[in-house]
Amino acid sequence: MMGGRRGGNRHQKQSSGVGGIGGMLGRLSVAVIVLFICTLSLYSTIKGTTSITRSEQISVDELWSPAAAQGWRPSSAPRSDWPPPPIESNGYLRVRCNGGLNQQRSAICNAVLAARIMNATLVLPELDANSFWHDDSGFKGLYDVEHFIKALRYDVKIVERLPETSSKGKSKKMKAYQIRPPRDAPISWYTTDALQKMKEHGAIYLTPFSHRLAEEIDYPEYQRLRCRVNYHALRFKPHIMKLSNMIVNKLRSQGHFMAIHLRFEMDMLAFAGCLDIFTPKEQEILKKYRKENFADKDLKYSERRAIGKCPLTPEEVGLILRAIGFDNSTRIYIAAGELFGGERFMKPFRSLFPHLENHSTVGPADELAENTRGLLGSAVDYMVCLLADIFMPTYDGPSNFANNVMGHRLYYGFRTIIQPDRKALAPIFIDRENGRSAGFEEAVRHAMSKTPFGGPHKRVKPESFYTNSWPECFCQTSPQNPADKCPPENVVEVLNDQLHREETDGKETDSLNQTNFTSR
């Protein structure tokens, strides 16, 4: 570096007259250019900072109202030719929906779509009375069967049970051929393997039936059928709706309220491998549960935590809400099973937000105790979370409950969702735990400012279709893209006329066949 300088000095001494003036002008030009670039850079930095600051100004008052719809509204009605189900189907489809309430809900949507794909008659889906819930309510115990069948009459034929067959003067229930479908099976599997067995045996039984049909299907009408099932046909029984509305009305009688799905239960913590924050005894319980229920993997807490794979603790949830701007008068409904670690983890959250409720604390106590066990309790929590002014999931990874509620709220009118970015928040919380708390709330606000808060947004993997059915199940009255145009107002009348013609033609065909048979 010194040599370079000396070389420059030698060159400067050798320059004289016009050459020296030219060198000075050249250096001056370079200085002006550098100054200009620095000015531009400074302006860009200031402009960028201003933009970030504006985006971080999260208004709590605005969050209590639905997100901006941007001209979109929910619509799952067909927008192209959608013939009614044929009078003569290819056979009967039975399915057993395993998992919890919302995993089963997705499976029911897939079952209806599978029946449509195969031109099959769907037998009312079976709900697994699994070991976790210890609940055998079944489809009829949870959902309004009559409404379910009627709402889907333009899409598939549905019966409550397999018919009986006669053989040698004796009647017996038709037996369905059992098949284990591939996970996330493509449409082609249903139109080949499954359909072939259905035609051979008259009925097939698909079990288990969780995640057995691919979510991403490049045919919008099939995706809209899923939305018709999920958001229109699947309606809880009257007593569940009544109980849920009673809780919502009581909570809302004192103003706005938010619902939080606090996923801090034993099964999720064991699945995530987040053990180190618990006592040695609690860690042993989680390790045992993981060994008995999940695949063996070497999961390191520090690594999982750093990339946002651990469920938020109750205290972290409270700190996020305080950083956004919610105060301790905020009313919060907690939808959760039994929290692992109990009051030790809830105490810091309760100190930040003392007005916490759940379905057991909002009376009448006797009726709630009787109706909120197992799948029924999950159904009540689902409805309260759907109807709350704000919904916040604390762990939306493999949580079917949170994913389905978010999707339903989006369809229900872009109702506000506070969805923490755990990956972005993890280093902020780790710094705080290590004593580096300066700028903590600003950092949380910056991370949270990037969430869409329930507005329309593009679905990006790993986001599920059941979490975000935009744009397939939405439309615009004045669209730029013709594919987004809302269906005509008389779409139900058109479908009804098509169904009536199909039924009339079917009756005429049956009558003609009977006449031909009699005349023989």
Side-chain angles (χ1 to χ4, degrees), residues 77-83 219-222 224 487-488 491 494-495 498:
R79 296 176 209 173
S80 59
D81 184 43
W82 188 256
Y219 182 42
E221 293 297 2
Y222 281 168
R224 290 182 194 117
V491 64
V494 172
L495 293 171
Q498 290 178 345

Side-chain angles (χ1 to χ4, degrees), residues 177-250:
Y177 181 81
Q178 186 169 322
I179 309 173
R180 184 184 181 91
R183 188 177 175 87
D184 298 320
I187 289 176
S188 58
W189 183 84
Y190 288 91
T191 56
T192 54
D193 299 48
L195 185 57
Q196 181 185 344
K197 293 299 182 184
M198 179 178 285
K199 289 181 175 179
E200 286 178 15
H201 300 275
I204 58 173
Y205 181 35
L206 303 183
T207 178
F209 198 72
S210 172
H211 307 294
R212 302 294 157 167
L213 177 58
E215 276 194 20
E216 294 299 332
I217 297 175
D218 192 23
Y219 182 42
E221 293 297 2
Y222 281 168
Q223 299 293 58
R224 290 182 194 117
L225 174 55
R226 278 173 161 154
C227 289
R228 289 199 289 282
V229 180
N230 208 6
Y231 307 134
H232 296 280
L234 279 175
R235 187 167 69 188
F236 292 120
K237 290 181 74 68
H239 73 279
I240 297 174
M241 299 296 284
K242 180 181 177 182
L243 190 57
S244 303
N245 283 322
M246 181 194 67
I247 292 173
V248 169
N249 291 338
K250 185 164 184 178

Side-chain angles (χ1 to χ4, degrees), residues 187-363:
I187 289 176
S188 58
W189 183 84
Y190 288 91
T191 56
T192 54
D193 299 48
L195 185 57
Q196 181 185 344
K197 293 299 182 184
M198 179 178 285
K199 289 181 175 179
E200 286 178 15
H201 300 275
I204 58 173
Y205 181 35
L206 303 183
T207 178
F209 198 72
S210 172
H211 307 294
R212 302 294 157 167
L213 177 58
E215 276 194 20
E216 294 299 332
I217 297 175
D218 192 23
Y219 182 42
E221 293 297 2
Y222 281 168
Q223 299 293 58
R224 290 182 194 117
L225 174 55
R226 278 173 161 154
C227 289
R228 289 199 289 282
V229 180
N230 208 6
Y231 307 134
H232 296 280
L234 279 175
R235 187 167 69 188
F236 292 120
K237 290 181 74 68
H239 73 279
I240 297 174
M241 299 296 284
K242 180 181 177 182
L243 190 57
S244 303
N245 283 322
M246 181 194 67
I247 292 173
V248 169
N249 291 338
K250 185 164 184 178
L251 290 168
R252 191 163 285 141
S253 66
Q254 299 182 46
H256 293 298
F257 80 96
M258 75 166 64
I260 296 178
H261 184 226
L262 196 54
R263 200 70 168 95
F264 202 72
E265 297 132 339
M266 180 171 62
D267 62 322
M268 187 52 64
L269 291 162
F271 172 83
C274 301
L275 315 181
D276 290 22
I277 59 174
F278 297 100
T279 65
K281 185 177 179 181
E282 289 169 339
Q283 288 187 36
E284 286 304 314
I285 294 171
L286 291 172
K287 288 176 183 177
K288 182 175 183 291
Y289 187 92
R290 177 169 182 82
K291 186 176 182 180
E292 293 173 351
N293 293 278
F294 304 114
D296 185 29
K297 287 183 181 179
D298 182 21
L299 302 178
K300 294 182 179 179
Y301 171 74
S302 57
E303 295 175 0
R304 302 283 289 171
R305 176 82 193 288
I307 58 174
K309 292 295 184 181
C310 288
L312 294 171
T313 68
E315 182 180 20
E316 288 171 342
V317 174
L319 291 170
I320 291 170
L321 292 176
R322 288 300 288 269
I324 291 175
F326 291 95
D327 60 33
N328 62 4
S329 67
T330 306
R331 295 178 60 77
I332 298 175
Y333 178 89
I334 300 294
E338 185 178 353
L339 299 187
F340 194 73
E343 188 59 26
R344 183 171 90 257
F345 286 95
M346 281 300 294
K347 190 174 180 179
F349 186 24
R350 203 181 303 279
S351 67
L352 292 168
F353 293 94
H355 300 288
L356 301 181
E357 305 279 3
N358 59 43
H359 62 221
S360 298
T361 62
V362 187

